[in-house]
Amino acid sequence: MKILIVAYEFPPSPSPQSLRWMFLSRELARLGHEVHVLTAEIATHVGSLADPENVTVHRSWAGPVRGLVAMLAQRKQARAATSASAPAAGSTDSPSGGPPASPPSGLNWKGRLMERIQRTAAYLVFPDIRGEWKWSARRRMHSLLRSLKPDLVISSHEPATTLQLGLSAARAGYPWVADLGDPVLAPYTPQRWRRKSWRLEARTCRHAKQLLVTNHGAKRLLVERHGIDGARVHVITQGFERRPSMAAAPRRRDGIVDALYTGSFYSFRQPGSLLAAVVGTPNVRLSIASIQVPDVVRDFASRHPDQVRLLGFLPHEQVIALQRQADLLVNIGNDDPAQVPGKFFEYLGAGKPILHISQHLGDDEAASILKGVGAGWVVDSREEAIAGALAMCVAAAEVPDRTEPRPGPIMEYSWDRIAGRLDRILFPDRASPPAVSAG
């Protein structure tokens, strides 16, 4: 079958939604589909992701502001490529040895000016600065619809721009599936866009052939909010890439527990209790790989450099390697129980125990999954609860390692298994061929 995926977030972007459709598009292609992706031409990170194999990617102008940012970034990278002995980005150091990579330095006046322009544009464009892609993307999408005549169009939200494009494809007569990473109307939606977000979410629920969400909390929210048939809403979680050749590194015997956090920090994901518990527990080190960290994290790292270390932005492959070298992987749950951090599923494939810090013990899907697969521990977000779990790890002869991801519950969250379920949802009457092995 021929599939057109509309996804603003796609490689080289390192975002969770980009990773989601990088892997899903690749696995759908391995299942025999002809997969095309329409995405934006945006600025890249050094060492960021490459397009998946056997997937045709079509890029269009990101818009006046984002397009300018992309052009300037490309020029900067071209200059860096021609300069002698340019320093490598990121760090290959493990969280257990060697100096951590320095966090990104402050912006110069040009960077500050461009940041101010982007903030202003984001205030004016729905749903944010990424919305300016809509006009060029709509023209390119309808051109692709005429030339490709796909059997199915899939919109990858966020941003909500892709849902507007999906509605346009549906009006043109193409079957449309909406992948809602989060509801359009979310707790963090700016007040000025809340009414428009609700209307777009409602129209999406009415007109999409199928709706995909990442967890059961989001499914319940959409069904209750819009009164739709729950059979049209399918839970397709985030996942991890199966890597049989990469064994998890054994724990060292020096008595130190090296913990690692590789997620993002948002207003609904607070790290204060975790940081206080780490510095209050002897023989625990926490390394943080994140593109941006809040002031509280920088403050703890500057005052306790032996226990809290900042690795800055690291390419995806380095992050995966670090996860397999750590003793303990730390996951901070969201305030909103209708969300499960994408990194949580990535952790499941690392072969190391997970400490999940829950803010809703009675209604936390990540906690339920973790308990179901027996891959770690769940604690509430109080400092003393986190410190108790860390002290238990230090006191043990070793942190109990899990084995390499095994057939069974954990493997249900590998991208190839997830794509197989998605294939059956999208094309229930099609007999899927066996998946092509990744190697």
Side-chain angles (χ1 to χ4, degrees):
M1 307 295 279
K2 194 177 295 184
I3 303 171
L4 174 61
I5 299 168
V6 181
Y8 185 99
E9 296 293 342
F10 198 73
S13 165
S15 73
Q17 200 68 0
S18 173
L19 288 168
R20 177 177 177 83
W21 282 103
M22 178 183 78
F23 288 118
L24 286 177
S25 64
R26 184 193 69 183
E27 296 300 331
L28 288 172
R30 286 176 173 170
L31 288 169
H33 298 290
E34 180 182 334
V35 181
H36 295 257
V37 177
L38 172 60
T39 188
E41 183 71 55
I42 59 173
T44 64
H45 296 274
V46 177
S48 50
L49 305 170
D51 293 342
E53 69 234 22
N54 300 321
V55 174
T56 304
V57 180
H58 309 266
R59 300 186 187 276
S60 67
W61 186 50
V65 177
R66 274 298 179 86
L68 177 60
V69 171
M71 182 185 69
L72 295 175
Q74 288 166 358
R75 288 182 179 178
K76 183 177 181 181
Q77 289 170 16
R79 288 194 299 268
T82 57
S83 64
S85 63
S91 169
T92 57
D93 297 326
S94 77
S96 59
S102 298
S105 59
L107 297 172
N108 60 21
W109 71 269
K110 293 180 183 178
R112 291 193 297 272
L113 175 61
M114 186 55 65
E115 192 176 64
R116 192 173 299 116
I117 292 172
Q118 291 191 76
R119 282 201 304 268
T120 302
Y123 187 85
L124 300 173
V125 178
F126 175 80
D128 53 43
I129 186 63
R130 296 170 294 179
E132 63 175 5
W133 179 58
K134 180 176 68 175
W135 291 275
S136 72
R138 179 182 285 130
R139 289 194 299 271
R140 188 65 181 277
M141 182 187 73
H142 282 283
S143 175
L144 290 171
L145 292 175
R146 289 190 296 270
S147 62
L148 296 175
K149 295 181 173 52
D151 299 292
L152 186 69
V153 176
I154 302 175
S155 290
S156 168
H157 170 262
E158 292 181 352
T161 307
T162 65
L163 301 179
Q164 295 172 317
L165 295 170
L167 284 165
S168 183
R171 287 194 296 269
Y174 291 88
W176 170 47
V177 171
D179 179 41
L180 294 167
D182 287 329
V184 185
L185 178 59
Y188 52 82
T189 302
Q191 186 62 39
R192 65 186 181 280
W193 297 132
R194 295 187 68 81
R195 181 176 295 181
K196 187 168 185 175
S197 296
W198 189 93
R199 289 199 301 263
L200 177 58
E201 184 179 282
R203 291 175 64 204
T204 298
C205 289
R206 286 198 305 271
H207 296 291
K209 177 183 177 182
Q210 306 282 354
L211 297 161
L212 310 177
V213 294
T214 57
N215 61 83
H216 291 87
K219 175 176 179 175
R220 289 193 299 271
L221 185 151
L222 291 177
V223 169
E224 294 169 4
R225 184 183 283 175
H226 301 288
I228 58 177
D229 180 4
R232 291 175 50 227
V233 187
H234 307 275
V235 176
I236 298 294
T237 68
Q238 296 288 77
F240 66 85
E241 185 179 15
R242 195 193 302 225
R243 299 184 178 214
S245 63
M246 288 180 63
R251 185 182 171 189
R252 299 169 325 286
R253 306 296 178 179
D254 59 1
I256 302 294
V257 172
D258 267 304
L260 177 67
Y261 177 80
T262 64
S264 298
F265 292 98
Y266 302 107
S267 59
F268 48 80
R269 195 179 294 166
Q270 297 295 330
S273 297
L274 167 64
L275 294 167
V278 167
V279 301
T281 308
N283 297 324
V284 173
R285 283 192 297 239
L286 174 66
S287 295
I288 297 172
S290 186
I291 194 167
Q292 287 185 327
V293 297
D295 290 342
V296 63
V297 176
R298 292 190 182 279
D299 180 57
F300 269 92
S302 65
R303 289 189 290 113
H304 306 279
D306 292 335
Q307 287 186 278
V308 180
R309 304 194 293 179
L310 305 184
L311 305 180
F313 168 76
L314 296 175
H316 179 67
E317 290 298 320
Q318 290 186 26
V319 169
I320 295 297
L322 290 178
Q323 289 172 0
R324 289 173 177 259
Q325 294 167 14
D327 298 322
L328 182 68
L329 300 174
V330 179
N331 187 67
I332 304 175
N334 293 348
D335 283 342
D336 186 352
Q339 299 173 333
V340 178
K343 284 292 177 182
F344 169 80
F345 296 96
E346 194 173 276
Y347 283 175
L348 290 176
K352 290 302 179 78
I354 301 167
L355 177 63
H356 174 65
I357 301 169
S358 175
Q359 304 194 56
H360 299 274
L361 282 177
D363 186 18
D364 186 329
E365 191 160 333
S368 298
I369 292 171
L370 191 62
K371 293 174 181 176
V373 300
W377 307 276
V378 177
V379 297
D380 65 50
S381 57
R382 293 175 299 118
E383 176 186 338
E384 53 268 34
I386 301 170
L390 294 174
M392 174 196 68
C393 294
V394 173
E398 62 177 53
V399 179
D401 282 338
R402 288 195 296 104
T403 60
E404 181 72 9
R406 60 193 186 279
I410 289 177
M411 294 310 298
E412 291 305 309
Y413 298 99
S414 64
W415 283 119
D416 55 330
R417 295 277 184 92
I418 293 170
R421 294 194 292 273
L422 176 60
D423 183 42
R424 292 189 290 273
I425 291 168
L426 299 179
F427 306 105
D429 299 326
R430 172 181 178 268
S432 298
V436 176
S437 172

